[in-house]
Amino acid sequence: MTSYDDAPWVMDGAPRLRPYAVTGGRTAPTRRLALETLVMAARTLPRVPLTPEHDETLRECRAGPRSVAEVAGRLGLPVAVTKILLSDLLDTCALILTAPAGPPDPTDPYLLEKVLVGLRNL
């Protein structure tokens, strides 16, 4: 019979914290990021102190443009968690987008207003 002391409680290579703890309980990023969106570290320092997970994410993006999917794979985190971490870093100006974040939101009032102005000018 094995005791609890003989069995590992955490798998090797598993994240240090549960995704819920890494994201502070948030379930949605502040920005729309597609899997193929490219991000890279900005040349400026972040404006706020970083958590270890944010710091690791930023270090991964310093090597050059990386896609959201690539960052998630290299960090070994779920894509949803990675998108939240990347959004946080984008909000603090520690990262920059190097490609469009996807198609425009068709319900964006600014976009709809520009379409309306364009139609009126026809």
Side-chain angles (χ1 to χ4, degrees), residues 54-89:
H54 286 102
D55 188 47
E56 189 177 356
T57 304
L58 184 58
R59 243 183 288 124
E60 189 59 47
C61 296
R62 283 194 180 120
R66 302 251 189 243
S67 70
V68 172
E70 186 178 3
V71 173
R74 288 179 180 265
L75 295 177
L77 292 172
V79 173
V81 172
T82 304
K83 285 182 177 183
I84 292 171
L85 293 174
L86 292 172
S87 291
D88 293 345
L89 291 169

mmCIF file of all heavy atoms in Angstrom, residues 54-89:
data_model
loop_
_atom_site.group_PDB
_atom_site.id
_atom_site.type_symbol
_atom_site.label_atom_id
_atom_site.label_comp_id
_atom_site.label_asym_id
_atom_site.label_seq_id
_atom_site.Cartn_x
_atom_site.Cartn_y
_atom_site.Cartn_z
ATOM 1 N N HIS A 54 3.158 37.184 -15.750
ATOM 2 C CA HIS A 54 3.277 38.265 -16.731
ATOM 3 C C HIS A 54 4.735 38.430 -17.163
ATOM 4 O O HIS A 54 5.020 38.642 -18.344
ATOM 5 C CB HIS A 54 2.752 39.590 -16.158
ATOM 6 C CG HIS A 54 1.275 39.657 -16.065
ATOM 7 N ND1 HIS A 54 0.610 39.475 -14.882
ATOM 8 C CD2 HIS A 54 0.329 39.875 -17.002
ATOM 9 C CE1 HIS A 54 -0.698 39.582 -15.093
ATOM 10 N NE2 HIS A 54 -0.889 39.829 -16.368
ATOM 11 N N ASP A 55 5.648 38.343 -16.204
ATOM 12 C CA ASP A 55 7.066 38.486 -16.516
ATOM 13 C C ASP A 55 7.539 37.373 -17.450
ATOM 14 O O ASP A 55 8.258 37.631 -18.417
ATOM 15 C CB ASP A 55 7.883 38.488 -15.220
ATOM 16 C CG ASP A 55 9.336 38.819 -15.465
ATOM 17 O OD1 ASP A 55 9.605 39.801 -16.190
ATOM 18 O OD2 ASP A 55 10.200 38.097 -14.946
ATOM 19 N N GLU A 56 7.103 36.158 -17.193
ATOM 20 C CA GLU A 56 7.475 35.031 -18.057
ATOM 21 C C GLU A 56 6.899 35.203 -19.465
ATOM 22 O O GLU A 56 7.571 34.926 -20.463
ATOM 23 C CB GLU A 56 6.977 33.728 -17.434
ATOM 24 C CG GLU A 56 7.465 32.488 -18.101
ATOM 25 C CD GLU A 56 7.003 31.227 -17.384
ATOM 26 O OE1 GLU A 56 6.360 31.315 -16.327
ATOM 27 O OE2 GLU A 56 7.281 30.139 -17.921
ATOM 28 N N THR A 57 5.676 35.699 -19.544
ATOM 29 C CA THR A 57 5.037 35.951 -20.843
ATOM 30 C C THR A 57 5.793 37.031 -21.602
ATOM 31 O O THR A 57 6.062 36.892 -22.801
ATOM 32 C CB THR A 57 3.567 36.364 -20.640
ATOM 33 O OG1 THR A 57 2.893 35.364 -19.886
ATOM 34 C CG2 THR A 57 2.863 36.545 -21.970
ATOM 35 N N LEU A 58 6.154 38.098 -20.922
ATOM 36 C CA LEU A 58 6.893 39.185 -21.553
ATOM 37 C C LEU A 58 8.267 38.708 -22.033
ATOM 38 O O LEU A 58 8.695 39.051 -23.138
ATOM 39 C CB LEU A 58 7.039 40.356 -20.585
ATOM 40 C CG LEU A 58 7.711 41.612 -21.113
ATOM 41 C CD1 LEU A 58 6.972 42.155 -22.333
ATOM 42 C CD2 LEU A 58 7.778 42.664 -20.023
ATOM 43 N N ARG A 59 8.937 37.893 -21.229
ATOM 44 C CA ARG A 59 10.239 37.355 -21.630
ATOM 45 C C ARG A 59 10.120 36.527 -22.908
ATOM 46 O O ARG A 59 10.971 36.581 -23.782
ATOM 47 C CB ARG A 59 10.816 36.488 -20.503
ATOM 48 C CG ARG A 59 12.100 37.035 -19.960
ATOM 49 C CD ARG A 59 12.728 36.168 -18.903
ATOM 50 N NE ARG A 59 11.959 36.232 -17.667
ATOM 51 C CZ ARG A 59 11.455 35.176 -17.049
ATOM 52 N NH1 ARG A 59 11.641 33.970 -17.509
ATOM 53 N NH2 ARG A 59 10.758 35.317 -15.948
ATOM 54 N N GLU A 60 9.034 35.789 -23.029
ATOM 55 C CA GLU A 60 8.812 34.965 -24.217
ATOM 56 C C GLU A 60 8.617 35.834 -25.455
ATOM 57 O O GLU A 60 9.011 35.456 -26.555
ATOM 58 C CB GLU A 60 7.588 34.072 -24.002
ATOM 59 C CG GLU A 60 7.384 33.042 -25.050
ATOM 60 C CD GLU A 60 8.555 32.096 -25.174
ATOM 61 O OE1 GLU A 60 9.058 31.595 -24.161
ATOM 62 O OE2 GLU A 60 8.982 31.863 -26.320
ATOM 63 N N CYS A 61 8.051 37.011 -25.287
ATOM 64 C CA CYS A 61 7.778 37.899 -26.415
ATOM 65 C C CYS A 61 8.966 38.784 -26.776
ATOM 66 O O CYS A 61 8.918 39.498 -27.769
ATOM 67 C CB CYS A 61 6.554 38.768 -26.109
ATOM 68 S SG CYS A 61 5.042 37.815 -25.912
ATOM 69 N N ARG A 62 10.008 38.764 -25.991
ATOM 70 C CA ARG A 62 11.186 39.588 -26.291
ATOM 71 C C ARG A 62 12.021 39.005 -27.429
ATOM 72 O O ARG A 62 12.819 39.709 -28.024
ATOM 73 C CB ARG A 62 12.058 39.736 -25.046
ATOM 74 C CG ARG A 62 11.505 40.733 -24.073
ATOM 75 C CD ARG A 62 12.512 41.135 -23.020
ATOM 76 N NE ARG A 62 11.901 42.092 -22.117
ATOM 77 C CZ ARG A 62 11.756 41.894 -20.824
ATOM 78 N NH1 ARG A 62 12.210 40.793 -20.265
ATOM 79 N NH2 ARG A 62 11.183 42.814 -20.085
ATOM 80 N N ALA A 63 11.847 37.741 -27.735
ATOM 81 C CA ALA A 63 12.634 37.092 -28.785
ATOM 82 C C ALA A 63 12.204 37.521 -30.179
ATOM 83 O O ALA A 63 12.873 37.208 -31.150
ATOM 84 C CB ALA A 63 12.538 35.578 -28.653
ATOM 85 N N GLY A 64 11.092 38.221 -30.291
ATOM 86 C CA GLY A 64 10.591 38.648 -31.585
ATOM 87 C C GLY A 64 9.098 38.418 -31.651
ATOM 88 O O GLY A 64 8.493 37.970 -30.679
ATOM 89 N N PRO A 65 8.478 38.728 -32.778
ATOM 90 C CA PRO A 65 7.035 38.535 -32.898
ATOM 91 C C PRO A 65 6.643 37.075 -32.675
ATOM 92 O O PRO A 65 7.264 36.168 -33.220
ATOM 93 C CB PRO A 65 6.725 38.958 -34.335
ATOM 94 C CG PRO A 65 7.860 39.833 -34.732
ATOM 95 C CD PRO A 65 9.054 39.315 -33.984
ATOM 96 N N ARG A 66 5.648 36.881 -31.858
ATOM 97 C CA ARG A 66 5.126 35.546 -31.564
ATOM 98 C C ARG A 66 3.609 35.586 -31.687
ATOM 99 O O ARG A 66 2.970 36.567 -31.306
ATOM 100 C CB ARG A 66 5.480 35.124 -30.146
ATOM 101 C CG ARG A 66 6.938 35.104 -29.816
ATOM 102 C CD ARG A 66 7.396 33.680 -29.684
ATOM 103 N NE ARG A 66 8.753 33.653 -29.160
ATOM 104 C CZ ARG A 66 9.761 33.174 -29.826
ATOM 105 N NH1 ARG A 66 9.586 32.698 -31.032
ATOM 106 N NH2 ARG A 66 10.964 33.142 -29.304
ATOM 107 N N SER A 67 3.041 34.502 -32.173
ATOM 108 C CA SER A 67 1.585 34.423 -32.231
ATOM 109 C C SER A 67 1.052 34.064 -30.840
ATOM 110 O O SER A 67 1.775 33.530 -29.999
ATOM 111 C CB SER A 67 1.141 33.372 -33.248
ATOM 112 O OG SER A 67 1.448 32.078 -32.769
ATOM 113 N N VAL A 68 -0.210 34.355 -30.630
ATOM 114 C CA VAL A 68 -0.851 34.031 -29.358
ATOM 115 C C VAL A 68 -0.754 32.527 -29.105
ATOM 116 O O VAL A 68 -0.434 32.088 -27.998
ATOM 117 C CB VAL A 68 -2.319 34.509 -29.362
ATOM 118 C CG1 VAL A 68 -3.066 34.009 -28.144
ATOM 119 C CG2 VAL A 68 -2.390 36.026 -29.451
ATOM 120 N N ALA A 69 -0.995 31.737 -30.137
ATOM 121 C CA ALA A 69 -0.933 30.280 -29.989
ATOM 122 C C ALA A 69 0.477 29.822 -29.626
ATOM 123 O O ALA A 69 0.653 28.912 -28.800
ATOM 124 C CB ALA A 69 -1.392 29.606 -31.280
ATOM 125 N N GLU A 70 1.485 30.436 -30.223
ATOM 126 C CA GLU A 70 2.867 30.061 -29.943
ATOM 127 C C GLU A 70 3.243 30.405 -28.504
ATOM 128 O O GLU A 70 3.898 29.616 -27.819
ATOM 129 C CB GLU A 70 3.805 30.773 -30.910
ATOM 130 C CG GLU A 70 5.245 30.352 -30.791
ATOM 131 C CD GLU A 70 6.134 31.040 -31.812
ATOM 132 O OE1 GLU A 70 5.647 31.882 -32.585
ATOM 133 O OE2 GLU A 70 7.333 30.730 -31.814
ATOM 134 N N VAL A 71 2.825 31.563 -28.034
ATOM 135 C CA VAL A 71 3.119 31.953 -26.653
ATOM 136 C C VAL A 71 2.456 30.969 -25.690
ATOM 137 O O VAL A 71 3.077 30.521 -24.718
ATOM 138 C CB VAL A 71 2.662 33.406 -26.378
ATOM 139 C CG1 VAL A 71 2.801 33.755 -24.903
ATOM 140 C CG2 VAL A 71 3.441 34.383 -27.234
ATOM 141 N N ALA A 72 1.206 30.623 -25.958
ATOM 142 C CA ALA A 72 0.496 29.672 -25.094
ATOM 143 C C ALA A 72 1.215 28.327 -25.060
ATOM 144 O O ALA A 72 1.383 27.726 -23.995
ATOM 145 C CB ALA A 72 -0.941 29.494 -25.579
ATOM 146 N N GLY A 73 1.650 27.861 -26.222
ATOM 147 C CA GLY A 73 2.343 26.579 -26.282
ATOM 148 C C GLY A 73 3.674 26.608 -25.554
ATOM 149 O O GLY A 73 4.026 25.669 -24.839
ATOM 150 N N ARG A 74 4.417 27.675 -25.711
ATOM 151 C CA ARG A 74 5.722 27.775 -25.057
ATOM 152 C C ARG A 74 5.599 27.913 -23.543
ATOM 153 O O ARG A 74 6.446 27.442 -22.801
ATOM 154 C CB ARG A 74 6.520 28.943 -25.619
ATOM 155 C CG ARG A 74 7.027 28.695 -27.033
ATOM 156 C CD ARG A 74 7.785 29.907 -27.541
ATOM 157 N NE ARG A 74 8.276 29.689 -28.876
ATOM 158 C CZ ARG A 74 9.507 29.243 -29.153
ATOM 159 N NH1 ARG A 74 10.330 28.961 -28.184
ATOM 160 N NH2 ARG A 74 9.876 29.088 -30.408
ATOM 161 N N LEU A 75 4.537 28.569 -23.089
ATOM 162 C CA LEU A 75 4.331 28.723 -21.650
ATOM 163 C C LEU A 75 3.644 27.518 -21.028
ATOM 164 O O LEU A 75 3.657 27.361 -19.810
ATOM 165 C CB LEU A 75 3.498 29.982 -21.364
ATOM 166 C CG LEU A 75 4.133 31.314 -21.724
ATOM 167 C CD1 LEU A 75 3.150 32.449 -21.459
ATOM 168 C CD2 LEU A 75 5.416 31.530 -20.941
ATOM 169 N N GLY A 76 3.002 26.701 -21.860
ATOM 170 C CA GLY A 76 2.270 25.549 -21.338
ATOM 171 C C GLY A 76 0.996 25.943 -20.615
ATOM 172 O O GLY A 76 0.566 25.273 -19.688
ATOM 173 N N LEU A 77 0.401 27.044 -21.055
ATOM 174 C CA LEU A 77 -0.839 27.533 -20.457
ATOM 175 C C LEU A 77 -1.981 27.427 -21.458
ATOM 176 O O LEU A 77 -1.757 27.451 -22.673
ATOM 177 C CB LEU A 77 -0.686 29.004 -20.055
ATOM 178 C CG LEU A 77 0.258 29.319 -18.909
ATOM 179 C CD1 LEU A 77 0.435 30.827 -18.767
ATOM 180 C CD2 LEU A 77 -0.267 28.737 -17.618
ATOM 181 N N PRO A 78 -3.221 27.326 -20.974
ATOM 182 C CA PRO A 78 -4.364 27.349 -21.890
ATOM 183 C C PRO A 78 -4.395 28.670 -22.664
ATOM 184 O O PRO A 78 -3.960 29.709 -22.168
ATOM 185 C CB PRO A 78 -5.573 27.235 -20.961
ATOM 186 C CG PRO A 78 -5.054 26.647 -19.700
ATOM 187 C CD PRO A 78 -3.628 27.118 -19.584
ATOM 188 N N VAL A 79 -4.916 28.621 -23.872
ATOM 189 C CA VAL A 79 -4.965 29.811 -24.724
ATOM 190 C C VAL A 79 -5.776 30.919 -24.063
ATOM 191 O O VAL A 79 -5.394 32.084 -24.122
ATOM 192 C CB VAL A 79 -5.541 29.458 -26.120
ATOM 193 C CG1 VAL A 79 -5.768 30.711 -26.949
ATOM 194 C CG2 VAL A 79 -4.615 28.508 -26.842
ATOM 195 N N ALA A 80 -6.875 30.582 -23.413
ATOM 196 C CA ALA A 80 -7.703 31.603 -22.773
ATOM 197 C C ALA A 80 -6.923 32.351 -21.697
ATOM 198 O O ALA A 80 -7.024 33.577 -21.576
ATOM 199 C CB ALA A 80 -8.952 30.974 -22.170
ATOM 200 N N VAL A 81 -6.127 31.648 -20.934
ATOM 201 C CA VAL A 81 -5.313 32.275 -19.890
ATOM 202 C C VAL A 81 -4.232 33.141 -20.533
ATOM 203 O O VAL A 81 -3.974 34.266 -20.100
ATOM 204 C CB VAL A 81 -4.687 31.204 -18.968
ATOM 205 C CG1 VAL A 81 -3.689 31.819 -17.998
ATOM 206 C CG2 VAL A 81 -5.773 30.457 -18.219
ATOM 207 N N THR A 82 -3.618 32.632 -21.580
ATOM 208 C CA THR A 82 -2.571 33.381 -22.281
ATOM 209 C C THR A 82 -3.130 34.675 -22.862
ATOM 210 O O THR A 82 -2.481 35.718 -22.799
ATOM 211 C CB THR A 82 -1.947 32.515 -23.389
ATOM 212 O OG1 THR A 82 -1.457 31.313 -22.801
ATOM 213 C CG2 THR A 82 -0.825 33.234 -24.090
ATOM 214 N N LYS A 83 -4.333 34.631 -23.418
ATOM 215 C CA LYS A 83 -4.945 35.845 -23.967
ATOM 216 C C LYS A 83 -5.157 36.899 -22.879
ATOM 217 O O LYS A 83 -4.963 38.087 -23.116
ATOM 218 C CB LYS A 83 -6.279 35.515 -24.645
ATOM 219 C CG LYS A 83 -6.139 34.850 -25.982
ATOM 220 C CD LYS A 83 -7.504 34.601 -26.588
ATOM 221 C CE LYS A 83 -7.393 33.994 -27.971
ATOM 222 N NZ LYS A 83 -8.727 33.829 -28.588
ATOM 223 N N ILE A 84 -5.520 36.479 -21.687
ATOM 224 C CA ILE A 84 -5.716 37.422 -20.591
ATOM 225 C C ILE A 84 -4.382 38.035 -20.187
ATOM 226 O O ILE A 84 -4.270 39.250 -20.001
ATOM 227 C CB ILE A 84 -6.410 36.731 -19.394
ATOM 228 C CG1 ILE A 84 -7.847 36.373 -19.780
ATOM 229 C CG2 ILE A 84 -6.386 37.624 -18.152
ATOM 230 C CD1 ILE A 84 -8.578 35.515 -18.789
ATOM 231 N N LEU A 85 -3.331 37.205 -20.075
ATOM 232 C CA LEU A 85 -2.006 37.728 -19.730
ATOM 233 C C LEU A 85 -1.499 38.693 -20.791
ATOM 234 O O LEU A 85 -0.969 39.761 -20.481
ATOM 235 C CB LEU A 85 -1.018 36.574 -19.553
ATOM 236 C CG LEU A 85 -1.254 35.647 -18.357
ATOM 237 C CD1 LEU A 85 -0.300 34.471 -18.404
ATOM 238 C CD2 LEU A 85 -1.128 36.397 -17.052
ATOM 239 N N LEU A 86 -1.672 38.332 -22.067
ATOM 240 C CA LEU A 86 -1.231 39.206 -23.152
ATOM 241 C C LEU A 86 -2.019 40.514 -23.167
ATOM 242 O O LEU A 86 -1.453 41.589 -23.395
ATOM 243 C CB LEU A 86 -1.347 38.487 -24.500
ATOM 244 C CG LEU A 86 -0.388 37.327 -24.725
ATOM 245 C CD1 LEU A 86 -0.737 36.583 -26.005
ATOM 246 C CD2 LEU A 86 1.053 37.809 -24.762
ATOM 247 N N SER A 87 -3.320 40.444 -22.917
ATOM 248 C CA SER A 87 -4.146 41.653 -22.864
ATOM 249 C C SER A 87 -3.673 42.581 -21.760
ATOM 250 O O SER A 87 -3.607 43.800 -21.948
ATOM 251 C CB SER A 87 -5.617 41.288 -22.630
ATOM 252 O OG SER A 87 -6.153 40.646 -23.739
ATOM 253 N N ASP A 88 -3.349 41.994 -20.605
ATOM 254 C CA ASP A 88 -2.836 42.813 -19.506
ATOM 255 C C ASP A 88 -1.554 43.532 -19.913
ATOM 256 O O ASP A 88 -1.373 44.718 -19.632
ATOM 257 C CB ASP A 88 -2.553 41.950 -18.273
ATOM 258 C CG ASP A 88 -3.807 41.371 -17.639
ATOM 259 O OD1 ASP A 88 -4.915 41.847 -17.968
ATOM 260 O OD2 ASP A 88 -3.668 40.439 -16.827
ATOM 261 N N LEU A 89 -0.655 42.798 -20.573
ATOM 262 C CA LEU A 89 0.614 43.393 -20.999
ATOM 263 C C LEU A 89 0.407 44.444 -22.089
ATOM 264 O O LEU A 89 1.115 45.452 -22.129
ATOM 265 C CB LEU A 89 1.576 42.305 -21.466
ATOM 266 C CG LEU A 89 2.095 41.389 -20.352
ATOM 267 C CD1 LEU A 89 2.829 40.191 -20.937
ATOM 268 C CD2 LEU A 89 2.993 42.162 -19.407
#
